[in-house]
Amino acid sequence: MNHFINIKDISASVLRKIITDAKKRKLKRKKLNTLDPDKDANLKGRLLIQMYEKSSLRTRLSFSIAIKQLNGGELTLRPNELHLGKGTESLSDTAKIISTFGNAFMIRTNSDRKLEELKNYMTIPIINGLSPSSHPTQVLSDVFTIEEIKKKPISKLQICWIGDANNNVINSLIEASVKFSFKLNIGCPKKYQPKKSLLAWAKKNKSKIKIFNDSKKAATKADVIFTDKIISINDKVNKKEKLKDFKNFKVDAKIMKCARKDAIFLHCLPRGTEVSNDVFLSKQSKVWQQALNRVYVQKSILLYCFNKLR
Ligand code: CP
Ligand code: NVA
C-alpha cells in the first residue's frame, strides 16, 4: 500500500504514471454515465472512509465518485460526531478502528501534525485531501488539466502563480514544479513569499522558480496563470489587512494581457476577490474542466494507494 500525503515524497516517475493512467481512464469514459464503473474497475469491495475537518465541495464529490467508478464504496465521517472530535478517544485508537473497518482513508485536516501521527498509526493508505501546508491531490490534477489543454508536457510550459505564496496550494505547486521540472514564476507581495525551507528544498532539487513582487512581471509570457483565495479556510489573520496587502495582485484582464495570447487561467476554487469576474468567466478560464478532472486523477491516486496502478 502507499500513502499520498505530499507531492515531494513521491517519485517523479510515480507521479507521471498517475497522470498517464488518468489520461487513459478519461478517454475510455466518453460514453459512460457518472456512476458506471470503469471497464477495468478493480477496487470491488473496497471501502474508502473520508473525513473533512474543513469544508469541501470538489474534493468530497470527486473522491466519492472516483471510488464508485472503481467499483468500491465510500463512507464519510463527520468529525464532530466522533469520540475523537469530542476529545474522548485517542487518535491512535481511532486510527486503528478506521484501519480495521476501511481500506483507505481520505482526510482533510486542520493539522499537519495530526496527519503525520495518523500516518504512523494507520495500517491502510491515507490520502491528504488538504492540510494547512499542502493540497497534493489538487495540484496533481492541475498538472493533468494543463497538459490536457495545452497538449504538451508541462516541462515545456511557463506556469505563473499570482497571490498568496505561502499557502497549501502553492506549496504543492512548488513541489510539483520540481518533480515535473516546469518553470514557475511567482508574483506575490514581499510579506507573503514562499516558505524559506520549501524554497531551499526546491533549490537543492534543481527548481526553476522565480519570485517577483510585481504581478505583471511574473505573468509575462506565461502559458498558465494560477491564483487562489487570499484568505484560506480557517486562516487566522486580520482579513481586512491581508486583503489590502494584495490589492496589486488581483488577476484581471491587464494581467492576462501580459501572458501569452493563448494562456489559460486556473483556480482550484472556491474563489474570492483575487480574480476579476470577467477573467474568471472568460474563454481563457478553464476552471470547470479543472474541477471535473479531479475525478479522473483521484481514481489513479486511489489505484496507486492500493498498489494497483499499472
Ligand atoms: N479545490 C478544492 O479542494 O475544493 P473543495 O474545497 O470544495 O474541496
Ligand atoms: N488555499 C485554499 C484552498 C481551498 C481548496 C484553502 O486552504 O482554503
Side-chain angles (χ1 to χ4, degrees):
M1 68 158 199
N2 297 297
H3 299 303
F4 190 89
I5 296 191
N6 286 308
I7 286 185
K8 76 170 164 32
D9 303 328
I10 302 171
S11 73
S13 64
V14 165
L15 293 168
R16 175 50 70 194
K17 237 171 142 179
I18 294 175
I19 299 270
T20 306
D21 184 71
K23 275 184 194 162
K24 283 190 207 146
R25 273 175 202 285
K26 183 165 181 181
L27 275 175
K28 285 187 194 155
R29 282 198 67 84
K30 283 206 169 123
K31 289 186 185 139
L32 299 182
N33 290 312
T34 308
L35 290 180
D36 291 337
D38 282 11
K39 292 259 152 55
D40 61 349
N42 57 0
L43 294 187
K44 190 165 187 299
R46 308 298 175 101
L47 174 65
L48 172 70
I49 298 182
Q50 301 199 70
M51 186 164 94
Y52 291 86
E53 294 180 331
K54 293 174 168 182
S55 335
S56 169
L57 175 62
R58 285 142 285 262
T59 307
R60 188 191 301 267
L61 283 172
S62 56
F63 268 108
S64 299
I65 295 167
I67 188 77
K68 284 175 192 138
Q69 289 186 355
L70 292 172
N71 259 336
E74 176 267 343
L75 188 80
T76 299
L77 303 174
R78 297 179 200 206
N80 63 333
E81 290 176 1
L82 300 188
H83 301 286
L84 172 72
K86 299 197 164 115
T88 53
E89 185 159 40
S90 69
L91 198 64
S92 55
D93 288 357
T94 306
K96 176 82 180 152
I97 293 298
I98 290 173
S99 302
T100 311
F101 281 67
N103 303 107
F105 185 47
M106 203 304 311
I107 181 168
R108 170 167 288 196
T109 180
N110 283 321
S111 156
D112 288 293
R113 216 169 81 196
K114 187 183 287 174
L115 195 60
E116 270 312 302
E117 274 182 48
L118 274 169
K119 186 183 88 181
N120 296 335
Y121 299 129
M122 311 272 326
T123 53
I124 58 173
I126 176 164
I127 301 170
N128 176 5
L130 183 148
S131 73
S133 78
S134 80
H135 197 3
T137 63
Q138 174 71 54
V139 166
L140 194 56
S141 180
D142 294 345
V143 172
F144 173 92
T145 300
I146 290 167
E147 293 192 340
E148 175 179 63
I149 295 169
K150 289 287 171 190
K151 300 186 172 47
K152 270 186 196 166
I154 195 167
S155 57
K156 296 213 157 47
L157 299 168
Q158 173 72 59
I159 311 299
C160 168
W161 173 274
I162 306 276
D164 188 356
N166 191 0
N167 80 5
N168 40 17
V169 180
I170 181 67
N171 287 348
S172 294
L173 192 64
I174 288 174
E175 294 177 14
S177 79
V178 169
K179 297 288 176 173
F180 289 96
S181 196
F182 61 79
K183 288 184 241 132
L184 176 62
N185 281 0
I186 297 174
C188 62
K190 267 207 173 94
K191 230 168 114 182
Y192 300 90
Q193 309 227 127
K195 227 193 285 159
K196 280 195 180 131
S197 55
L198 181 57
L199 279 184
W201 170 85
K203 208 171 160 192
K204 213 172 104 195
N205 289 284
K206 303 195 182 97
S207 63
K208 300 175 182 169
I209 300 170
K210 286 189 190 151
I211 299 174
F212 301 84
N213 299 128
D214 175 320
S215 47
K216 283 190 177 157
K217 281 188 186 152
T220 301
K221 294 199 174 140
D223 295 292
V224 181
I225 304 269
F226 264 106
T227 187
D228 185 17
K229 271 195 150 181
I230 296 164
I231 315 286
S232 281
I233 326 169
N234 300 0
D235 217 350
K236 289 183 188 69
V237 289
N238 180 325
K239 292 188 181 151
K240 228 169 122 186
E241 247 174 50
K242 191 169 179 190
L243 288 172
K244 218 163 81 195
D245 290 339
F246 280 86
K247 70 176 189 324
N248 296 326
F249 291 85
K250 187 176 184 131
V251 178
D252 56 16
K254 281 186 217 141
I255 296 287
M256 291 307 290
K257 275 223 166 78
C258 300
R260 291 193 188 276
K261 252 200 177 126
D262 60 352
I264 58 167
F265 170 77
L266 295 181
H267 191 310
C268 68
L269 303 176
R271 65 172 154 146
T273 54
E274 63 285 345
V275 52
S276 65
N277 212 40
D278 58 328
V279 168
F280 187 81
L281 298 175
S282 68
K283 278 202 178 129
Q284 284 174 286
S285 170
K286 303 294 174 193
V287 295
W288 313 119
Q289 185 174 344
Q290 177 187 8
L292 188 60
N293 274 341
R294 296 200 59 203
V295 174
Y296 303 101
V297 179
Q298 313 298 34
K299 281 191 284 187
S300 307
I301 291 172
L302 284 165
L303 290 167
Y304 160 68
C305 289
F306 283 103
N307 254 334
K308 283 183 181 280
L309 199 63
R310 275 165 295 135

